[in-house]
Each structure stands twice: as structure tokens, then as C-alpha cells.
């Protein structure tokens, strides 16, 4: 399951949603917008793992410069999945934000610098099957040209060491206000026919 936590604000609801999905059989969660705690609150990753109980582990990729940087996580059921290896990637950074983007970012986070985006790439083993999962969050700033550059960076990293079973998941910002079907098609062309889009609309 890919889950954007919306800045980790509704902490109790997030933990309950994940626990409910786990009860229904989800063994791996790919999280975006995982934020460091404020005002002495418990880290959202720890809250989720505590609520899930024994047999669950997590890895997180958080920024140190800004609370908005990176903010990714994997949480998995160790009874179903064995972690083989994982890597954190830093994507190409926008040189600067436009005036409008600075205004929006100031309203959302109080920080007007470009956000550091990235990906987490993890290889898991389920029984005898090995598969690799890439969890990412791409820029909404910089238009599609910036998002495609970041996606291409991830894809070239994966192509340098191809995996037989590959899953790419996360918040690509190609839907709603920032995206459209043409953007999704361009990403599909880059990936090639071996990749199936499970969210075409």
C-alpha cells in the first residue's frame, strides 16, 4: 500500500487506517510525508509500529535541514517479508522556487527553500520470490519537467542493476492540479512495455 500521510497531522487516524489494512492482509506500507515530531510528540513511525504490534519493522528517510525534506518510510510484516537490502536516493533539486511556489510553500510549511525529494529502494524476499520496491515522492514544484527529471533519475538507478520483479510506487504528483494523462503516458513510455500501470486513471 502506498500512503501519503498528509504531513503526518492526523496521527491517530493514520495509525488506525494502517492497522485496519494490516488486518486485511497488507504486508508492506510505502509512506510519504512522514514528518519528524513537534512539541514532544511521539514520532509517527513509532506510533504506527506500536499500534501494529510485534512482527513489524520500519525504515525511514527523513530530512535534517527541513521538516519537509524526504519524509519517506517502509513498514513491513516480518512474518511475510524479509528485508534483503535498501538504499536511500536524493533526487535532483530545483535550483529555486518561483514566486508562487515560495508563497504556497511558505503557507504550507513556513520554509521557502526547494524541498529535497528522494526515494527509498528496498529488496524483499517473500518465500522463494525476491522483488524490489521503490517508494518515492516527486516535486509538485517545477512543473512536469522537474518531476520527469526526478523519475528518470530513479529509473536510471534501477536500470544500472535490473531486478526481475520490480515495483515502483509513491506520490508522483501526476494527478489532480499538477498532472494529467499525458504526463502519465510519458512516464509509461520511459518505463517500457514490461511495466503495468495499476492506476491508469
Amino acid at each position: 500500500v502506498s500512503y501519503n500521510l498528509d504531513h503526518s497531522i492526523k496521527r491517530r487516524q493514520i495509525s488506525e487506517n494502517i492497522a485496519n489494512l494490516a488486518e486485511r492482509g497488507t504486508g508492506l506500507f510505502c509512506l510519504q510525508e512522514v514528518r519528524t515530531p513537534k512539541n514532544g510528540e511521539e514520532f509517527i513511525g513509532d506510533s504506527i509500529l506500536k499500534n501494529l504490534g510485534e512482527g513489524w519493522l520500519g525504515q525511514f528517510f527523513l530530512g535534517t535541514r527541513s521538516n519537509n525534506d524526504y519524509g519517506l518510510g517502509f513498514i513491513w510484516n516480518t512474518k511475510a517479508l524479509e528485508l534483503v537490502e535498501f538504499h536511500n536516493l536524493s533526487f535532483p533539486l530545483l535550483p529555486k522556487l518561483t514566486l508562487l511556489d515560495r508563497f504556497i510553500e511558505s503557507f504550507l510549511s513556513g520554509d521557502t527553500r526547494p524541498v529535497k525529494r528522494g526515494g527509498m529502494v528496498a529488496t524483499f524476499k517473500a518465500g522463494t520470490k525476491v522483488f524490489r520496491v521503490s517508494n518515492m515522492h516527486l516535486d509538485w514544484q517545477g512543473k512536469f519537467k522537474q518531476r520527469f527529471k526526478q523519475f528518470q533519475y530513479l529509473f536510471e538507478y534501477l536500470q544500472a542493476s535490473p531486478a526481475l520483479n520490480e515495483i515502483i510506487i509513491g506520490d508522483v504528483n501526476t494527478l489532480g492540479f499538477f498532472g494529467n494523462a499525458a504526463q502519465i503516458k510519458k512516464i509509461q513510455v520511459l518505463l517500457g512495455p514490461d511495466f503495468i500501470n495499476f492506476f491508469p486513471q
Side-chain angles (χ1 to χ4, degrees):
V1 165
S2 179
Y3 194 165
N4 185 313
L5 305 187
D6 191 19
H7 293 285
S8 307
I9 296 168
K10 298 179 180 177
R11 303 161 56 81
R12 182 175 176 183
Q13 185 180 346
I14 289 166
S15 290
E16 288 175 357
N17 288 345
I18 287 177
N20 288 337
L21 287 164
E23 286 177 10
R24 291 163 58 185
T26 302
L28 174 63
F29 295 93
C30 301
L31 309 178
Q32 305 91 42
E33 296 196 15
V34 179
R35 301 299 183 228
T36 52
K38 295 180 179 178
N39 306 320
E41 291 178 324
E42 185 177 38
F43 174 52
I44 185 70
D46 293 337
S47 300
I48 292 168
L49 288 167
K50 189 182 294 183
N51 201 36
L52 286 170
E54 290 184 13
W56 290 83
L57 288 176
Q59 287 279 0
F60 301 94
F61 183 21
L62 306 176
T64 55
R65 182 200 66 160
S66 163
N67 194 41
N68 279 0
D69 289 340
Y70 304 120
L72 298 168
F74 279 119
I75 289 179
W76 68 95
N77 185 340
T78 59
K79 295 173 184 173
L81 301 173
E82 176 189 346
L83 177 66
V84 178
E85 64 176 355
F86 85 97
H87 302 277
N88 293 335
L89 299 179
S90 293
F91 292 158
L93 183 69
L94 269 174
K96 62 180 181 178
L97 299 180
T98 65
L99 186 62
L100 177 60
D101 288 348
R102 284 201 303 272
F103 175 77
I104 296 171
E105 204 51 68
S106 176
F107 175 76
L108 293 174
S109 68
D111 195 335
T112 58
R113 296 172 293 182
V115 176
K116 291 183 179 179
R117 302 289 186 182
M120 295 181 80
V121 180
T123 301
F124 291 97
K125 190 174 181 181
T128 58
K129 179 155 283 191
V130 177
F131 63 98
R132 184 166 63 182
V133 183
S134 298
N135 175 27
M136 64 186 162
H137 191 182
L138 304 185
D139 271 323
W140 58 264
Q141 308 94 332
K143 301 182 180 178
F144 180 65
K145 183 178 180 181
Q146 171 66 6
R147 290 192 287 285
F148 191 74
K149 183 191 291 186
Q150 292 176 332
F151 194 94
Q152 199 167 23
Y153 183 92
L154 170 67
F155 185 63
E156 288 172 1
Y157 172 86
L158 298 176
Q159 287 293 96
S161 180
L164 182 61
N165 302 297
E166 191 93 74
I167 299 169
I168 301 174
I169 197 166
D171 188 340
V172 188
N173 274 317
T174 51
L175 294 173
F177 183 76
F178 304 113
N180 55 51
Q183 296 178 8
I184 297 169
K185 186 175 181 180
K186 190 169 183 180
I187 288 173
Q188 183 70 62
V189 170
L190 173 70
L191 292 172
D194 290 339
F195 283 83
I196 299 167
N197 183 4
F198 276 89
F199 195 19
Q201 304 302 324

